[in-house]
Amino acid sequence: RRRRPLHTHTQNESPPHFRSRLAQAVQQGVEKLYRAMKWCHERQMFRQIQADSYVARLSTVSLDAWSAQLKNVYNVMVNVLTAVKFVSADLGPVELALHDGLSNAEKYGLAGAKPWIDIRPGDSAGELVLDVCNVADPRSPAITPSAAAAFFQGKKGEHHSSGVESVDESVRASDGIGMANALKAAASVSGRVRLHQVEIEGERVT
């Protein structure tokens, strides 16, 4: 009996669907590895910030590229309101504080409304401000300066102790690092965090 020759696919002869699935699997593996490495780096950085031992590492950052990344990661509108294209910054602690701000903005804002980010010049030369904004829940009390101070001390403050039932904390609790730690993260790169509300066209904006 004649034996049929054994035929094996070379890389170039692989079926298109197989190559596509293989490329997708490799890409997913790379993304998971990147997320794991990023998580480990952020955990180490967070522990150093808590211990007041973090040393800032400045690099040149393109605001256009960074804003596009924030839009992609958080699925929010990012408005760059400055003519500055590049800044020298350490984005690690900034993004820790930013994530906490976005988490709070989404969980405690008006239900169904998306928060947004404004990147704008500060009052001092060379200063850059990142505003994490949301439309406040009209059923919740206004955030007073004393309530804001209590939040940064890790307390619920008068904002949550007024008996308002519209905020179910078991559902809408922040998954960020906490406002007290967000304050420390910003301070580690000579930044500041402020929480306040303003009235804009009849709506309370945080």
Side-chain angles (χ1 to χ4, degrees):
R1 290 168 47 182
R2 294 182 60 187
R3 293 183 177 180
R4 293 184 178 180
L6 183 63
H7 181 73
T8 58
H9 284 291
T10 65
Q11 183 175 2
N12 292 333
E13 295 173 333
S14 299
H17 70 278
F18 175 79
R19 294 198 300 270
S20 176
R21 291 173 60 186
L22 178 61
Q24 185 179 12
V26 170
Q27 180 64 27
Q28 290 175 347
V30 170
E31 290 175 355
K32 288 181 180 179
L33 179 61
Y34 172 77
R35 286 196 296 268
M37 292 173 61
K38 190 172 186 293
W39 181 86
C40 290
H41 171 70
E42 288 179 347
R43 178 176 172 80
Q44 182 183 22
M45 177 176 59
F46 179 57
R47 294 182 68 177
Q48 290 175 351
I49 289 172
Q50 285 188 310
D52 295 320
S53 62
Y54 183 78
V55 179
R57 299 165 180 82
L58 300 180
S59 61
T60 301
V61 177
S62 164
L63 288 183
D64 287 339
W66 187 46
S67 64
Q69 181 184 9
L70 293 175
K71 288 179 184 178
N72 183 55
V73 171
Y74 293 107
N75 190 30
V76 296
M77 179 65 68
V78 181
N79 305 306
V80 180
L81 308 175
T82 174
V84 175
K85 294 297 182 183
F86 296 91
V87 296
S88 181
D90 183 345
L91 292 183
V94 173
E95 290 185 350
L96 281 179
L98 187 67
H99 173 79
D100 190 75
L102 283 168
S103 175
N104 280 302
E106 187 164 357
K107 299 296 174 66
Y108 293 105
L110 182 64
K114 295 287 291 183
W116 70 93
I117 300 171
D118 289 341
I119 303 176
R120 59 180 178 83
D123 296 329
S124 303
E127 186 179 61
L128 200 66
V129 177
L130 275 69
D131 290 325
V132 178
C133 310
N134 74 319
V135 177
D137 190 330
R139 298 169 296 176
S140 297
I143 298 177
T144 64
S146 60
F151 291 153
F152 285 122
Q153 293 170 8
K155 303 174 183 176
K156 292 182 180 180
E158 62 190 57
H159 185 62
H160 291 283
S161 62
S162 59
V164 175
E165 299 178 354
S166 61
V167 178
D168 182 349
E169 294 190 20
S170 66
V171 175
R172 303 178 69 183
S174 168
D175 62 355
I177 61 175
M179 294 184 67
N181 286 316
L183 192 67
K184 293 191 71 172
S188 71
V189 287
S190 302
R192 303 182 303 275
V193 178
R194 180 187 177 206
L195 174 64
H196 67 114
Q197 291 182 328
V198 294
E199 291 284 341
I200 299 178
E201 298 180 356
E203 291 183 321
R204 212 164 7 105
V205 175
T206 305

